[in-house]
Amino acid sequence: MVNLPPDSTQLTGSVVRELAAECGFDLAGVAAAGPAPDFGRYRAWVDAGMAGEMRYLTDHRADLRADPAELLPGLQSVISVGMLYSGPEPCSVDMTEPERAWVSRYAWGDDYHDLMRGRLKKLAHKLCEIRECEWRACVDTAPLLERSLARQAGLGWIGKNTCLIREGVGSWFFLGELLTTAVLQPDLPPPDRCGTCTRCIDACPTAALTPYQLDARLCISYFTIELRGMIPENLREGMGANIFGCDICQDVCPWNRKAVQTREAAFAPRDFAPDLEKLGAISEAEFQGMFRSSPVTRAKYAGFLRNVAVAMGNSGLDQFREPLRRMAEYPNAVVAEHARWALSRLSGLEQAL
Ligand code: B12
Ligand code: SF4
Ligand code: SF4
C-alpha cells in the first residue's frame, strides 16, 4: 500500500512508480496532457510515404495522434510504463549457424499486449483508490505516439535507431500508457545520449535508418511482420536469417551491452533460433500451434513461409534446395515466387564460390 504525503494535491512520479511496480511494470513516468509536440514529425514521416502499406498509420484516425485527449476527454496526465523483455540469450548479430532462422527478441515469448493491458487495468484500479478519475489503457494499437509520450514521461531518450533507450537499462522494453483525468506531477525528458555514435545506422543491412528516422519501406521488421505481399527483391539479401522482426539496430547499440534483463516468465524464449528446414515444412495448423499466443502469428502463415524461403536462400546451404523446390509449388503466389528467388540465390552463391 502506497503512503501518500499529507498535502498530496498532485500525485508525484514516485507514487506513480510505486503503484506501477506493484502492478509488475519495470519503468513508469508521467507526461502532462497537451498537444503532441512530435506530431509534426509523424505527419511529415507519413506524408513522405515512409509508413509503406501500414494503413493503421495513414488512415482517417491518423490525426488523432495530434493530441492524446482525443482518446479520453478531460485527459490530464499520461502514465507511461515499460516492461523489459530481453534475457541472457545471444544477439542476432552473433549468430553463426546458417541452418537456423532468427526470431526477434520481442517475439520470443508470449504476446505482450494482453499481459500489459491487464496490468494497466490493475494500475488504474489502484490509482482510482487514491484519486477518483476516468482512465483508458493503451498498448501499441491505439493512435498514440508511444515513444514520444515515454520520452516526455522521462522513460528514456529517442535514439538514432528511433527506439526509446534508457540509460543503465537499454532499449529492450515494451511501452504502454494509462491515460487518466487525474492530475499527476509530470516528469522531465532525459537528455539524448547518442552523441556522435552511428552504429545502428552503419549496421542496418537495408539502409533503412537516417538519424532519428526509419523508412519502413526499407526495414526488415516491416517486411517480415507487416508487409503482406512481395518483399522488394533488391532488399531480400539484406534480410539474412531474420524471419520475424529485426533486432540489428538494437543489438549493436552500446546502451544494450549491459541491458537489464526481464524477470517475466511469460517472455521466456520458446525457440529463438528455430531450424529452418523444420519451419519450411510446417502446415498451417502446426504454425498456429507452434506460435499460439506469440506475436509471430501476426505475419500470417503465408507471410511466415515467405520469410522462411528468403532466409533459406540467404543461408548458402544446398540442403535447402529440396524444401525450396516444394515451396516453389505452393499455391500461394507470393510464397512460390520467394522460393524461386531463394533457389536462384543459392545457385548464385554457389557460383560465387
Ligand atoms: C509502426 C510501428 C513499427 C514500424 C515502424 C517503426 C518506426 N520506427 O516508426 C515497424 C514495423 C518497422 C516497427 C518495428 C519495430 N518495432 Co514497432 N511500433 C510501431 C508503432 C505501432 C507505431 C510507431 C509509429 O508511430 N511510427 C511512426 C514514427 C514517425 O513515429 P516514432 O517512431 O514513434 O517516432 C516519433 C517519436 O519517437 C518522435 N521522435 C522521433 N525521433 C525523435 C528525435 C528527437 C530528438 C525527438 C525529440 C523526438 C523524436 O517523433 C516521432 C513522431 O512522433 C509503435 C506503437 C505506437 N503506437 O507508438 C510500435 C513500437 C514503436 N515498436 C516497438 C518495437 C519493440 C519494435 C521492434 C523492436 C520490433 C522488432 N524487433 O522487429 C522494431 C524496432 C525497429 C526500430 N528501429 O524502430 C516498441 C518500441 C519500444 C521501444 N523501447 O522503443 C513500440 C513502442 C511498441 C510497444 N508498445 O512497445 N514498429
Ligand atoms: S530493424 Fe533492422 S532493418 Fe529495420 S532499421 Fe533496424 S536494423 Fe534496419
Ligand atoms: S547505436 Fe549509437 S546512435 Fe544508434 S541508438 Fe544506440 S547510441 Fe544511438
Side-chain angles (χ1 to χ4, degrees):
M1 188 67 190
V2 170
N3 290 318
L4 286 178
D7 62 338
S8 56
T9 45
Q10 219 187 23
L11 291 180
T12 61
S14 61
V15 171
V16 170
R17 271 182 281 285
E18 217 174 304
L19 293 176
E22 286 174 11
C23 297
F25 292 114
D26 301 298
L27 308 170
V30 175
D38 292 331
F39 181 71
R41 285 173 185 270
Y42 173 81
R43 196 63 266 171
W45 184 79
V46 167
D47 291 346
M50 292 193 198
E53 292 172 24
M54 291 183 283
R55 298 274 279 280
Y56 61 91
L57 295 171
T58 58
D59 68 9
H60 61 285
R61 278 161 46 94
D63 286 346
L64 294 181
R65 291 172 179 80
D67 192 340
E70 296 280 355
L71 302 183
L72 184 74
L75 179 78
Q76 290 288 342
S77 318
V78 178
I79 302 177
S80 177
V81 295
M83 263 187 97
L84 299 167
Y85 61 80
S86 182
E89 291 76 14
C91 285
S92 67
V93 289
D94 295 329
M95 193 179 72
T96 51
E97 295 168 74
E99 66 282 2
R100 294 190 175 274
W102 189 266
V103 173
S104 68
R105 283 186 124 71
Y106 93 98
W108 286 354
D110 288 350
D111 194 287
Y112 60 100
H113 294 91
D114 289 346
L115 183 78
M116 287 185 79
R117 212 183 308 280
R119 291 187 185 186
L120 281 167
K121 284 182 184 162
K122 202 169 152 193
L123 177 60
H125 293 138
K126 281 182 184 280
L127 184 65
C128 289
E129 283 170 15
I130 306 176
R131 282 284 185 284
E132 202 177 301
C133 65
E134 301 292 319
W135 56 269
R136 179 166 172 178
C138 304
V139 184
D140 198 32
T141 50
L144 271 184
L145 297 173
E146 293 195 292
R147 286 163 161 171
S148 284
L149 283 165
R151 188 186 83 85
Q152 285 170 254
L155 261 56
W157 78 93
I158 291 158
K160 289 180 193 169
N161 62 6
T162 78
C163 291
L164 195 85
I165 309 170
R166 186 176 177 88
E167 193 168 355
V169 172
S171 64
W172 305 118
F173 55 86
F174 299 118
L175 295 174
E177 302 76 30
L178 188 70
L179 311 187
T180 169
T181 55
V183 179
L184 308 172
Q185 199 180 82
D187 290 291
L188 288 173
D192 179 338
R193 297 232 178 265
C194 282
T196 55
C197 175
T198 56
R199 279 169 203 243
C200 50
I201 294 160
D202 304 339
C204 175
T206 48
L209 289 173
T210 48
Y212 306 101
Q213 188 156 271
L214 178 153
D215 188 339
R217 295 167 300 182
L218 304 174
C219 175
I220 296 164
S221 177
Y222 167 69
F223 299 149
T224 53
I225 303 173
E226 302 285 334
L227 185 69
R228 296 288 162 252
M230 301 285 187
I231 297 170
E233 211 173 308
N234 60 325
L235 299 175
R236 293 180 196 171
E237 210 177 304
M239 287 168 58
N242 291 292
I243 57 158
F244 187 80
C246 172
D247 288 336
I248 296 170
C249 55
Q250 293 184 89
D251 280 345
V252 299
C253 179
W255 296 100
N256 278 334
R257 254 184 232 142
K258 290 187 180 156
V260 179
Q261 294 174 10
T262 184
R263 289 160 292 145
E264 197 57 58
F267 298 152
R270 298 169 185 195
D271 190 356
F272 57 92
D275 191 61
L276 272 170
E277 189 143 6
K278 186 172 139 201
L279 297 182
I282 57 172
S283 67
E284 186 156 6
E286 285 165 339
F287 170 73
Q288 296 299 345
M290 187 171 176
F291 296 108
R292 192 178 308 284
S293 70
S294 141
V296 177
T297 52
R298 183 161 174 86
K300 307 263 192 285
Y301 179 55
F304 183 77
L305 284 187
R306 172 201 63 184
N307 301 343
V308 168
V310 173
M312 283 180 171
N314 287 333
S315 70
L317 295 178
D318 250 2
Q319 71 191 66
F320 293 136
R321 282 183 189 280
E322 202 37 52
L324 280 170
R325 278 190 204 108
R326 282 195 298 272
M327 289 165 89
E329 300 300 320
Y330 193 75
N332 181 298
V334 172
V335 177
E337 192 279 337
H338 285 73
R340 284 195 295 275
W341 172 86
L343 281 165
S344 68
R345 167 119 171 99
L346 283 180
S347 302
L349 285 172
E350 199 176 73
Q351 276 164 22
L353 286 177

